[in-house]
Amino acid sequence: MPIPRDEPHILGTTLKVRSGKREEVRQTLTVLGDHFKGQEGCLAYLILEEPARNPELTFLTVWRDGGAAASHLASEACRILLGATRILCEPAPFALQRMDPYPGALPPGVPSGSEESLQ
């Protein structure tokens, strides 16, 4: 089933950080996150860390709709992030996963859709 373009999109991925590069990855995600938050349609940007899962970092972005998510994926900032992950993270397929929020996670009136991969 195709992703409805008018529904909110949550994009997320987990990065396996190279030894000794955790702080550099965190700083890169923070700086680029500030840029992402300024992109039209960005509703949220989160960096998630769990000490037990070291050296992994997960980041999520929430977009107003599919058009905003697609514009983000085509942006210069997203290309910079992909380049930085090639240098700072272990080689792995960079797969963004589109996820739906659980019921009640989004503000009232904002619809949710179905899970789809954006690989």
Side-chain angles (χ1 to χ4, degrees):
M1 169 169 38
I3 300 169
R5 293 190 60 80
D6 61 344
E7 294 183 1
H9 283 51
I10 301 173
L11 305 178
T13 196
T14 298
L15 305 171
K16 188 175 263 186
V17 180
R18 291 184 191 271
S19 179
K21 300 293 185 182
R22 188 175 187 81
E23 188 56 34
E24 195 172 347
V25 171
R26 187 184 296 122
Q27 289 174 358
T28 300
L29 290 174
T30 299
V31 169
L32 288 173
D34 289 342
H35 181 77
F36 294 164
K37 289 179 208 174
Q39 290 178 322
E40 185 176 344
C42 183
L43 303 176
Y45 176 84
L46 303 162
I47 301 170
L48 307 170
E49 298 182 78
E50 183 180 343
R53 292 188 65 187
N54 191 18
E56 294 179 355
L57 290 171
T58 299
F59 69 93
L60 301 171
T61 55
V62 181
W63 300 93
R64 174 189 64 234
D65 56 30
S71 292
H72 162 68
L73 292 172
S75 72
E76 178 73 15
C78 197
R79 285 191 294 277
I80 291 169
L81 175 61
L82 288 170
T85 61
R86 289 186 186 109
I87 295 167
L88 301 172
C89 299
E90 295 294 334
F94 188 88
L96 285 169
Q97 181 71 34
R98 193 268 179 150
M99 300 166 275
D100 283 335
Y102 63 89
L106 294 175
V110 177
S112 64
S114 61
E115 185 174 311
E116 291 283 337
S117 175
L118 293 178
Q119 297 178 348

